[in-house]
Amino acid sequence: MRKRIFVMLAVLATAFAIVPAASATGDHPGLTPESVDAVIFPGGDFVVEKTVHTPEIPPSVDVCLLEDETGSFSDDIANLQNPVTIQAIYDGVTAEAPDAQFAVAGFRDYNVAPHGSGDDWVYQLYSSMSPDFSDWENGVNALSAGGGYDGPEAQFDAIVAAVTGPTDYVPDSVGEQADCGWRDDDTVTRVLVVTTDAAFHLPGAGKPHANDLASTVAALDADDVVVVGLKTGSAGGELDALAAATGGSVQPLSNDGSNIADAIIAGLEDIEIDVTMASNCEWPISTTFSPDSLTVTSGDDAVFTETILVAADAPGGTYTCTDQAFIDGAEMVDDAGAVIYETKTINVPEGFLTGGGQIGKGKTAENFGGNVGFLADFSVVGQWQFRDGAEKLNMHSLSIDTLQFYMIGGEPADPPAANANAAYFAGTARVKDGTAKWIDTCTFEAWAEDHGEPQAADAFAISIDCGDDGNWAYGQTPLDTGNLQIHSGVKE
C-alpha cells in the first residue's frame, strides 16, 4: 500500500505549468492569461507575465460636466440639449462604466463690470452626482446661455467651486453653491469635464477673481479630480495645463458643440489610471507582483510579472486561488458588471526526490540534477538532466513515467525525515552524443540514494538506451559534490 507523509523541505525545486494563450479577441477589459495550471515543488516558484487589458473608461467614475454658459455657447448648449445627445452621452459612459454617476454645473463670470453682466454668476450647480438618467437629463436641460460680457471668464474660480464647494463668490446672483457631489470613495475616478471657448481670468488688482493655475491645480489634486477639457480653437492653453497636471486630456470641440457626445467619451477614454493586481492565495501558496502598480492611459495594457511561490514545508495537494485587477482602486469588471478573475491551479507533489551533484572532477565529471515526484492522484511529474563531460554526452528527460521510493541499507534520509532513502525513476529522453544531432527516441532509468545531510553517502546511477544509436550505463557511485534529498516519499 502507498503511504503519504506530509513533511517536506526542498533544496532544489522547479515548476511545470500550462498557461493558456491570450484571448484572440483582445477585448477590454480582460486578464490574460485567464488561468494558470502549474506544478510547483515545495520551495519552488513559477513566474508568469500577467496582462491587464484595462477598460476604455474606468469602471467606477464620477463625471461632472462644467458647461460654459456665456452667450457665445448658445448653439453649443442647444446641441447638447438634443435628447439624442443627452442619451448618447449617458449610454456611452455607462456601457463602459456601469457604476458611473453624473452631475451638471455651469459657469459664467462675476457680475462686476467690465468682467460680466449684471445677472452673471461664477458657478451654479444644476444636478448633483447621481446614477439616474433623469437627473442627468434634467441637469443638462437646466443650462442656458447668456452674459459673459468681456472675453475671459471665471473658469478657475468655477472649477475650484465645482471641486471643493460650498463657495460664496460675492457679488454673485445665485449665492452659495455646493460642489458636484463627488462620492466619498477612493475607488471612484473623479472627472470634471470643462467646456469653454474663452481664456481664463486671473486674479489682479481691483479684480474679484481668486484663483490662478497653481491654486486650481492644488484644489484638483487635493480631491483627486481629473480634468477633461473640451475647447474650441478660440480658447487659450489653460485647459491643456490643467489636464496635463491631473492626468486628463483635452479634446477638440466644434464651434457649435455638435460633437460634444463624442468628445466627452473620447476624453474619458484618454485619462490616466492606476492599475494594481491582487491575489487571494493563502499558505502554502503566495504571490507577488512586479511592479506594485502601473499608471497607464485608460484602454491600454498594463503588464505585470507575477511570481507564484510554494512554501518549503507545503503539504502535497492541489491548491486553487484567483487573481484580479483593480483600476484606481476599483475592481475591474466585465461588460455585465461581474468582477474579472484569473484562476490558478497549483499542484504540489506529495513525495519527491530533488537535488543534484557531480561525480568526478573537472571537465570530465558527470553532472546531474532535477526533481521527480508524485502528485495527489499519484501521477508522476518532474524533469532530470545528465551530462558526461568525458564523453560529451547530454541527456534531458522528456517525461517521467515511473517513480518508486524504497528503503535500502545505510543511513536514513534525515533530515528531512522521510520514509525512504532510495528512489528509482524512469522515462523518455532526448540525447546528444558529442557533436551528433539530438536523438528524441531514447529511454532512461535512474537510481538515487539519500543517506542524510549534507551529502553523506548519497549515490546516483543511470542507464540510457537509444537503441541502435547507442547505450550508456553509469553504476551506483557516491557523489563527490552535491546533495540528493528524498522528501516524505510515496512508496509501495
Side-chain angles (χ1 to χ4, degrees):
M1 110 182 245
R2 289 173 170 170
K3 180 180 179 184
R4 309 180 190 182
I5 300 178
F6 300 115
V7 181
M8 305 183 180
L9 178 63
V11 172
L12 177 64
T14 190
F16 310 89
I18 298 173
V19 181
S23 169
T25 61
D27 286 344
H28 290 243
L31 264 177
T32 54
E34 296 177 354
S35 63
V36 172
D37 192 341
V39 175
I40 307 178
F41 283 77
D45 61 56
F46 178 72
V47 177
V48 59
E49 186 176 274
K50 191 67 56 66
T51 301
V52 181
H53 307 289
T54 67
E56 300 294 340
I57 295 175
S60 186
V61 61
D62 279 356
V63 180
C64 181
L65 173 62
L66 182 60
E67 180 79 6
D68 189 328
E69 288 190 80
T70 58
S72 61
F73 253 68
S74 59
D75 53 349
D76 300 76
I77 291 175
N79 281 319
L80 173 61
Q81 291 173 336
N82 183 317
V84 174
T85 302
I86 296 173
Q87 189 76 55
I89 295 170
Y90 182 88
D91 291 347
V93 175
T94 55
E96 296 286 344
D99 190 41
Q101 294 196 17
F102 301 82
V104 181
F107 70 86
R108 290 185 185 175
D109 207 341
Y110 289 90
N111 60 350
V112 176
H115 311 300
S117 303
D119 292 330
D120 275 353
W121 33 263
V122 174
Y123 164 79
Q124 186 167 182
L125 179 68
Y126 296 107
S127 62
S128 190
M129 205 62 66
S130 169
D132 295 333
F133 173 77
S134 60
D135 292 334
W136 160 249
E137 182 179 38
N138 291 336
V140 171
N141 284 329
L143 295 166
S144 62
Y149 202 72
D150 67 353
E153 314 297 353
Q155 294 98 325
F156 280 136
D157 287 357
I159 290 169
V160 173
V163 171
T164 65
T167 301
D168 185 8
Y169 291 125
V170 179
D172 198 316
S173 63
V174 297
E176 186 175 277
Q177 297 285 298
D179 64 30
C180 292
W182 312 102
R183 280 178 281 179
D184 186 15
D185 186 340
D186 290 340
T187 67
V188 174
T189 303
R190 300 172 175 178
V191 182
L192 183 65
V193 180
V194 183
T195 71
T196 193
D197 62 353
F200 290 33
H201 264 304
L202 291 170
K207 296 178 66 175
H209 303 86
N211 291 282
D212 58 11
L213 177 63
S215 62
T216 303
V217 169
L220 291 162
D221 285 346
D223 285 78
D224 292 324
V225 177
V226 176
V227 169
V228 168
L230 310 183
K231 70 175 189 176
T232 67
S234 58
E238 295 93 345
L239 278 181
D240 301 82
L242 291 171
T246 59
S249 68
V250 173
Q251 306 296 325
L253 189 63
S254 60
N255 287 332
D256 62 358
S258 58
N259 69 329
I260 190 168
D262 290 339
I264 289 176
I265 299 301
L268 294 174
E269 292 178 345
D270 194 21
I271 63 175
E272 291 183 351
I273 54 176
D274 293 326
V275 186
T276 57
M277 293 289 301
S279 172
N280 68 355
C281 297
E282 298 180 344
W283 189 92
I285 311 300
S286 62
T287 60
T288 60
F289 297 95
S290 179
D292 293 333
S293 66
L294 284 169
T295 300
V296 300
T297 300
S298 52
D300 286 352
D301 287 347
V303 180
F304 296 85
T305 298
E306 179 183 24
T307 302
I308 307 167
L309 304 102
V310 174
D313 55 348
T318 298
Y319 301 87
T320 59
C321 50
T322 59
D323 292 346
Q324 66 180 114
F326 290 82
I327 309 299
D328 286 340
E331 293 179 312
M332 189 171 74
V333 297
D334 61 20
D335 293 339
V339 177
I340 298 171
Y341 294 104
E342 175 254 44
T343 302
K344 52 172 57 63
T345 302
I346 308 301
N347 295 282
V348 179
E350 294 198 342
F352 58 95
L353 162 72
T354 185
Q358 180 173 293
I359 297 172
K361 295 182 179 180
K363 295 182 179 180
T364 61
E366 300 162 15
N367 294 276
F368 51 86
N371 45 50
V372 292
F374 289 105
L375 297 183
D377 62 0
F378 296 107
S379 58
V380 180
V381 294
Q383 58 83 30
W384 202 265
Q385 298 183 32
F386 176 82
R387 173 176 171 77
D388 178 358
E391 298 292 331
K392 293 184 173 54
L393 178 76
N394 289 279
M395 186 212 82
H396 295 172
S397 66
L398 296 174
S399 67
I400 307 294
D401 303 322
T402 302
L403 173 61
Q404 183 177 6
F405 294 104
Y406 53 96
M407 289 294 296
I408 60 174
E411 294 295 321
D414 185 16
N419 62 341
N421 63 4
Y424 164 80
F425 57 99
T428 62
R430 63 195 310 250
V431 174
K432 181 177 177 61
D433 182 11
T435 59
K437 294 182 179 180
W438 283 95
I439 307 166
D440 294 330
T441 56
C442 305
T443 61
F444 76 97
E445 297 179 286
W447 297 261
E449 296 179 21
D450 176 11
H451 295 289
E453 313 305 325
Q455 182 182 328
D458 292 358
F460 179 75
I462 191 168
S463 174
I464 303 169
D465 184 0
C466 293
D468 293 340
D469 292 308
N471 297 272
W472 301 265
Y474 301 84
Q476 198 88 342
T477 306
L479 277 59
D480 288 306
T481 59
N483 190 28
L484 294 171
Q485 283 191 318
I486 293 174
H487 303 261
S488 72
V490 179
K491 65 170 189 165
E492 298 293 343

